Amino acid sequence: MRALVQRVAEASVAVEGQQIGQIGPGLLVLVCAMQGDDDSAADKLAARVARLRIFRDDQGRMNRALLDTGGAALVVSQFTLAADTRTGNRPGFSSAAAPEDGRRLYEAFAQALRQLGIATETGQFGADMQVRLLNDGPVTIWLDSTDRA
């Protein structure tokens, strides 16, 4: 699984003009399931997101994790993180998981964050969403569940 993590002062997601998720300080997590991913990838990625030390400590250093701060997570599905741009000008998305697998793993990822004690809001899988955020820093980190054992 892949995630693009942004430290935010606030973030929200809407579908057809209706807000369906909103958080204050925390993380906006854009997430994509890839072909071959399973529930362990969702759990592993959620643990990495929850423990990623990108929040300021008392000295202003990025030394605290979401678990330390009590912040929330807004999880939004984004299959375009699977984009293959190696050839041509039109990205390919064939490495993304099939929609039914993508939905299941997206939901498993959000649930894994909740089980770690993180207040978690979500977007709507497969919907055309409008995401608003106030990036804090800015801090934006790319994670992939296959990058680390």
Side-chain angles (χ1 to χ4, degrees):
M1 290 186 77
R2 293 181 177 171
L4 186 70
V5 179
Q6 297 181 303
R7 187 178 74 190
V8 297
E10 60 185 16
S12 64
V13 61
V15 174
E16 295 180 6
Q18 291 291 105
Q19 185 172 290
I20 62 169
Q22 177 179 5
I23 63 167
L27 297 176
L28 170 64
V29 185
L30 306 174
V31 67
C32 176
M34 306 296 289
Q35 286 185 11
D37 284 340
D38 57 17
D39 288 345
S40 68
D43 291 342
K44 181 179 178 180
L45 189 60
R48 289 189 64 202
V49 167
R51 292 176 175 88
L52 188 63
R53 297 185 334 174
I54 60 173
F55 291 91
R56 293 179 191 93
D57 63 14
D58 293 337
Q59 287 76 44
R61 297 181 59 211
M62 289 197 302
N63 235 355
R64 299 180 73 208
L66 191 58
L67 285 170
D68 302 323
T69 66
L74 176 58
V75 178
V76 176
S77 63
Q78 187 168 354
F79 81 95
T80 60
L81 292 177
D84 181 352
T85 58
R86 292 177 290 181
T87 61
N89 295 316
R90 184 177 183 164
F93 303 102
S94 61
S95 61
E100 58 275 3
D101 293 331
R103 177 187 304 271
R104 182 179 56 77
L105 292 167
Y106 163 72
E107 292 171 356
F109 173 80
Q111 185 59 32
L113 285 176
R114 289 182 187 107
Q115 289 176 341
L116 290 168
I118 295 171
T120 303
E121 297 273 327
T122 60
Q124 182 179 328
F125 185 88
D128 183 13
M129 294 175 278
Q130 297 75 49
V131 180
R132 295 181 187 269
L133 70 140
L134 180 56
N135 196 315
D136 179 21
V139 174
T140 303
I141 307 285
W142 172 269
L143 295 174
D144 192 307
S145 62
T146 62
D147 285 346
R148 190 168 118 190

